[in-house]
Amino acid sequence: MSINKAMSTPFLRLYALALLFFSANSILNVIVPLRIEALGASNGDIGFIMGAYMFTCMFFRPWAGHLVHKHGPVIVLRILLAVNGLALVLYTFTGMEGYMAARVMQGICTAFFSMALQMGIIDALPEKERSQGLSLYSLFTYMPTIIGPLIAVGIWDLGGMNGFTVAMFVIALATGLFGYSVPMQFARQQGRGNAEPEQGSAEPERENVEQGRGSAEPERENVEQGRRNAEPEQENAEQGRGNAEPEQENAEPEQENAKQGRENAEQRQENAKHGQRDAEQRQENAEHSQRDAEQRQENAEHGQGNTVQKQGNAAAAQERLGLRGALSRIAGNRPLLICSLLMLLASIVFGAVTAFIPLYARQISYGHAGVFLMIQAGIIVAARFTFSKRIPSDGKWHAWFVGAICLIGSVGALLLSLSQTMGPVVFYAAAVLIGIAQAILYPTLTTYLTFVLPGASRNVYIGLFIATADLGISMGGMAMGPIADRFSFSTMYAVSAAVGISAACIALLNRSMGGRRLQQAAVSE
């Protein structure tokens, strides 16, 4: 019976670390907008500060993979957990400027953390389990948002800043302690996997060498035994010749027999010498074979080092490309371009919900931001748990499936824009639809890209794709905030619905994108 690696203990510990790391966001996404509004900020200022988190994450993500490769995941993990804890503490005693700095620090930490874990999951899992691993990772990052918003509202209403301070200290301490205890050897083991075939072929040869050496030893012992047996026989022949001399005339037959015995003994001794030389030759051949096997294993290790060096050079080259190089890479690969554009547009809708629901909910009769975000997160968790194995993982482009997901998200945004006049039922129905879209779209597009992108630069391309998702989330706050200031939250969410509809149209207009063939063609080139 095959073991599901995506549900094995090492991966479950990584998912649990992701849960703790992102648990603070479920509280901050509610309290920070309320706190900034209390300080007299406009919707544009709130959107800018809220969007700074994902914008910073997007900016640093292309460099994250290179630095993790250069310094190792363990030391990078420990540093980012310490910086993340400092950022959480910074929220407890600063104003708007401190909130901006804390959001930037969190964005940097999230860039390194999410890249390290997601690339590790993609590289370590077999193709048929990639979508499940990515879905479970995303699932655990959203699990805190099921109860976190209600806790945040309770903290703000009952404990105020004192309760908020205690919560941030507890989360920072718990995440740091658990993160320092989680082993990150999975990435190193995966990196050594490239050399395993050559090392594996060297091991049987080494066993054969040892076997040949073992078979040569008994033969040498037999040669020595033959020599020892020949020596007494030769002595007997000499003795027989000495006894035959006084009676030589009367014992000619005995003398002939003695002479024959001596010749036989000499022949046996000569054969024993030849056998010893043959055994020595076999042992020498066995030693040569062992040296050859050791040389092959050393070559395999050098090959692994060259592979790692090439990966580091590719990451360094991507770092030097900058924004212009990143855009040219996206534009030069059609699947990457379409998926990045879809993720950008959909993430604008998701970002607008995250940034402004705590403020918009107060304008809805019986509207509650904590309940809305709890419903949305619960739908995300339930959908990813239920459909993790049903998300396409065949390397084909499912245009109607992706377009339907984008339409579901746009309908949810439209219901949000109508909630102020149609009441809380429509308001909470929007949470369900937006949750479904957010749960399925990201793992669907990411899984498809892992199949069609060329393997040599796949991680770099995936990093660019994730960066577009970060940009969309940040634009949901930064770009939509001024619209809310100029018009209203209802108008802002109507614009978000139009953005979602445009994403669905793009997906349906690109029904002819290829699947695995693109990856195979790229590899052959």
Side-chain angles (χ1 to χ4, degrees):
M1 182 178 179
S2 61
I3 300 176
N4 188 348
K5 289 185 63 178
M7 294 294 293
S8 61
T9 301
F11 282 92
L12 290 177
R13 295 186 69 182
L14 292 177
Y15 303 148
L17 177 60
L19 183 148
L20 285 173
F21 185 86
F22 289 99
S23 60
N25 281 346
S26 62
I27 296 176
L28 293 172
N29 287 339
V30 175
I31 292 183
V32 169
L34 297 175
R35 174 65 176 167
I36 297 175
E37 186 190 42
L39 295 175
S42 65
N43 292 327
D45 295 333
I46 295 172
F48 187 82
I49 293 176
M50 295 298 292
Y53 168 68
M54 294 308 297
F55 186 82
T56 306
C57 183
M58 173 207 68
F59 184 79
F60 279 90
R61 202 184 291 275
W63 288 271
H66 172 61
L67 292 180
V68 169
H69 164 77
K70 181 178 180 180
H71 299 288
V74 175
I75 186 171
V76 172
L77 177 67
R78 291 178 176 177
I79 292 174
L80 70 88
L81 288 176
V83 175
N84 184 69
L86 179 62
L88 296 182
V89 173
L90 193 62
Y91 283 110
T92 63
F93 62 88
T94 58
M96 288 181 59
E97 295 80 6
Y99 279 27
M100 184 68 183
R103 297 296 284 179
V104 170
M105 293 168 63
Q106 272 196 295
I108 296 173
C109 293
T110 301
F112 284 88
F113 183 88
S114 61
M115 280 296 293
L117 264 66
Q118 289 187 81
M119 291 304 101
I121 291 171
I122 291 172
D123 291 338
L125 289 179
E127 291 183 353
K128 63 181 180 179
E129 296 177 5
R130 282 180 191 165
S131 62
Q132 184 182 9
L134 291 172
S135 296
L136 288 172
Y137 166 79
S138 298
L139 167 67
F140 275 76
T141 63
Y142 279 104
M143 284 179 65
T145 59
I146 296 177
I147 193 65
L150 288 177
I151 295 176
V153 173
I155 291 174
W156 188 251
D157 291 340
L158 300 178
M161 286 302 297
N162 291 333
F164 176 63
T165 300
V166 172
M168 291 298 100
F169 271 95
V170 170
I171 293 173
L173 184 62
T175 304
L177 292 177
F178 188 82
Y180 272 63
S181 67
V182 170
M184 295 292 289
Q185 284 81 1
F186 76 94
R188 295 177 179 175
Q189 292 173 358
Q190 182 64 23
R192 291 196 297 264
N194 296 331
E196 287 179 357
E198 293 188 39
Q199 293 177 358
S201 62
E203 289 299 328
E205 187 167 353
R206 177 179 292 181
E207 293 178 3
N208 293 335
V209 168
E210 297 295 336
Q211 183 67 25
R213 179 183 293 179
S215 61
E217 291 296 333
E219 189 167 351
R220 178 184 292 182
E221 294 179 2
N222 293 336
V223 170
E224 295 294 336
Q225 184 64 32
R227 179 185 292 180
R228 288 194 295 269
N229 292 337
E231 290 175 355
E233 193 168 348
Q234 187 174 3
E235 292 177 3
N236 293 336
E238 295 291 339
Q239 183 66 32
R241 183 174 61 181
N243 294 336
E245 287 178 357
E247 303 175 2
Q248 183 174 3
E249 296 176 357
N250 299 326
E252 286 296 332
E254 272 187 51
Q255 188 173 4
E256 287 296 328
N257 293 337
K259 183 178 179 180
Q260 186 66 35
R262 183 177 60 187
E263 292 175 356
N264 292 338
E266 290 175 352
Q267 183 64 36
R268 290 190 185 93
Q269 188 173 6
E270 187 69 21
N271 293 337
K273 291 179 180 178
H274 282 296
Q276 182 179 5
R277 285 195 294 270
D278 291 340
E280 291 174 351
Q281 184 64 34
R282 290 190 183 93
Q283 184 176 5
E284 185 177 353
N285 293 337
E287 291 174 353
H288 280 299
S289 299
Q290 182 182 7
R291 286 195 292 270
D292 291 340
E294 292 174 350
Q295 183 65 35
R296 289 189 181 91
Q297 184 174 4
E298 184 177 354
N299 292 338
E301 293 174 353
H302 282 301
Q304 174 195 355
N306 292 335
T307 300
V308 173
Q309 182 64 33
K310 289 177 182 177
Q311 293 175 350
N313 293 338
Q318 173 61 23
E319 182 176 348
R320 291 191 296 269
L321 283 175
L323 180 60
R324 172 185 262 178
L327 293 177
S328 65
R329 279 175 175 259
I330 293 176
N333 188 298
R334 186 185 175 197
L336 179 62
L337 174 62
I338 299 303
C339 291
S340 298
L341 185 58
L342 292 176
M343 200 68 239
L344 173 68
L345 296 175
S347 296
I348 291 175
V349 180
F350 305 148
V353 172
T354 301
F356 298 110
I357 278 296
L359 305 177
Y360 183 52
R362 295 186 301 179
Q363 301 178 10
I364 309 298
S365 300
Y366 302 101
H368 192 285
V371 174
F372 181 96
L373 295 174
M374 183 186 69
I375 293 174
Q376 180 185 352
I379 293 298
I380 291 173
V381 171
R384 284 189 172 164
F385 184 79
T386 304
F387 299 110
S388 61
K389 293 184 178 181
R390 298 181 182 273
I391 293 174
S393 188
D394 54 5
K396 297 179 181 179
W397 175 245
H398 299 267
W400 288 102
F401 183 79
V402 175
I405 297 172
C406 295
L407 282 177
I408 290 173
S410 63
V411 171
L414 182 61
L415 292 181
L416 272 180
S417 69
L418 300 175
S419 298
Q420 200 165 4
T421 57
M422 300 183 68
V425 174
V426 174
F427 179 71
Y428 294 123
V432 175
L433 295 178
I434 294 174
I436 293 174
Q438 196 167 359
I440 302 176
L441 183 61
Y442 175 77
T444 298
L445 297 179
T446 305
T447 303
Y448 168 71
L449 288 176
T450 62
F451 285 102
V452 301
L453 294 177
S457 55
R458 184 182 62 192
N459 288 0
V460 175
Y461 284 132
I462 292 292
L464 294 175
F465 167 74
I466 297 174
T468 61
D470 299 338
L471 178 61
I473 294 291
S474 63
M475 288 181 63
M478 294 180 174
M480 294 298 173
I483 296 177
D485 282 333
R486 180 67 175 84
F487 300 100
S488 65
F489 285 119
S490 295
T491 303
M492 182 198 72
Y493 284 119
V495 173
S496 299
V499 172
I501 292 174
S502 65
C505 293
I506 292 173
L508 296 176
L509 290 174
N510 289 273
R511 295 192 296 272
S512 61
M513 280 204 304
R516 286 177 179 267
R517 295 188 301 276
L518 290 174
Q519 184 184 26
Q520 294 170 355
V523 172
S524 64
E525 290 175 1

